[in-house]
């Protein structure tokens, strides 16, 4: 993964371990950039993996809509935690070509702050009900599937009442 910032992995107050910036980051600054150390897989490649490996990969990856590939990396990305609203400080805001894919700061981020990805943009729940990736999450990573469904439901309820 092409990290463009200086960061460290340490205990998170949200969940397990998290990624923390060691430097100030300005809104709009790129956090990471797709590179060839990352994998972009289709259903056949993912289906050929061992179930335990697939579960780990699903936790640390996302579906890249433009390329129709599941992007994943074995590395520190698995420590990226999620937050909603103002707490989410990094994310993807538009689909680009895979070679240009990146995450950016959604607001200014202070040194020592944990990086929280906004998952809604690339949630599997933006995909059709019969999409192959939904089935992989439901079968091999049900806790992440339930988590993303819960996020989706909370946001939908907020929109209806807000």
């Amino acid at each position: 993964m092409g990290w463009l910032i200086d960061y460290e992995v340490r205990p998170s107050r949200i969940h397990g371990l998290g990624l923390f910036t060691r430097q100030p980051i300005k809104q709009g600054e790129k956090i990471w950039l797709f590179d060839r150390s990352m994998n972009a897989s289709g259903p056949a490649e993912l289906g050929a993996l061992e179930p335990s490996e697939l579960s780990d990969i699903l936790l640390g990856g996302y579906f890249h809509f433009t390329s129709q590939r599941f992007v994943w990396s074995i590395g520190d990305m698995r420590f990226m935690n999620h937050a909603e609203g103002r707490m989410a400080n990094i994310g993807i805001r538009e689909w680009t070509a895979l070679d240009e894919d990146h995450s950016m700061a959604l607001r200014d981020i202070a040194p020592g702050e944990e990086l929280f990805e906004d998952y809604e943009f690339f949630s599997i729940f933006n995909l059709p009900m019969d999409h192959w990736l939904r089935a992989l999450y439901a079968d091999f990573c049900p806790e992440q599937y339930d988590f993303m469904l819960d996020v989706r439901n909370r946001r939908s309820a907020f929109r209806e009442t807000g």
Side-chain angles (χ1 to χ4, degrees):
M1 169 164 278
W3 288 99
L4 303 174
I5 60 157
D6 186 22
Y7 70 92
E8 63 185 340
V9 177
R10 62 179 203 231
S12 168
R13 62 184 169 84
I14 300 294
H15 176 77
L17 296 174
L19 302 176
F20 294 79
T21 181
R22 291 182 178 166
Q23 67 185 70
I25 304 171
K26 295 285 186 196
Q27 182 176 353
E29 188 174 333
K30 290 180 182 177
I31 305 298
W32 59 260
L33 192 60
F34 179 87
D35 70 12
R36 293 296 165 201
S37 72
M38 299 172 75
N39 300 282
S41 304
E45 296 100 339
L46 291 175
L49 299 172
E50 293 294 322
S52 62
E53 185 180 17
L54 181 56
S55 178
D56 288 343
I57 286 166
L58 291 171
L59 279 172
Y62 64 96
F63 186 72
H64 183 262
F65 185 80
T66 306
S67 68
Q68 295 291 295
R69 311 292 281 170
F70 186 78
V71 176
W72 56 279
S73 175
I74 306 235
D76 292 342
M77 182 57 89
R78 69 184 185 271
F79 301 121
M80 181 67 67
N81 286 314
H82 160 81
E84 297 178 63
R86 180 83 175 133
M87 277 189 63
N89 52 18
I90 71 170
I92 298 171
R93 287 294 180 247
E94 66 178 348
W95 290 117
T96 60
L98 185 58
D99 287 342
E100 299 169 9
D101 199 36
H102 65 277
S103 187
M104 66 180 182
L106 301 176
R107 61 173 172 77
D108 289 349
I109 305 171
E113 202 174 333
E114 184 170 359
L115 301 175
F116 293 115
E117 187 93 49
D118 180 356
Y119 290 170
E120 185 175 19
F121 184 78
F122 54 87
S123 169
I124 63 168
F125 294 102
N126 295 329
L127 300 172
M129 288 298 294
D130 61 347
H131 194 277
W132 58 267
L133 188 56
R134 283 181 177 238
L136 285 180
Y137 270 100
D139 291 345
F140 296 98
C141 201
E143 66 285 346
Q144 183 72 359
Y145 186 90
D146 291 344
F147 166 76
M148 289 187 291
L149 180 59
D150 184 52
V151 168
R152 175 76 170 213
N153 290 340
R154 282 196 317 265
R155 288 200 176 171
S156 294
F158 176 76
R159 286 186 189 117
E160 290 172 9
T161 62

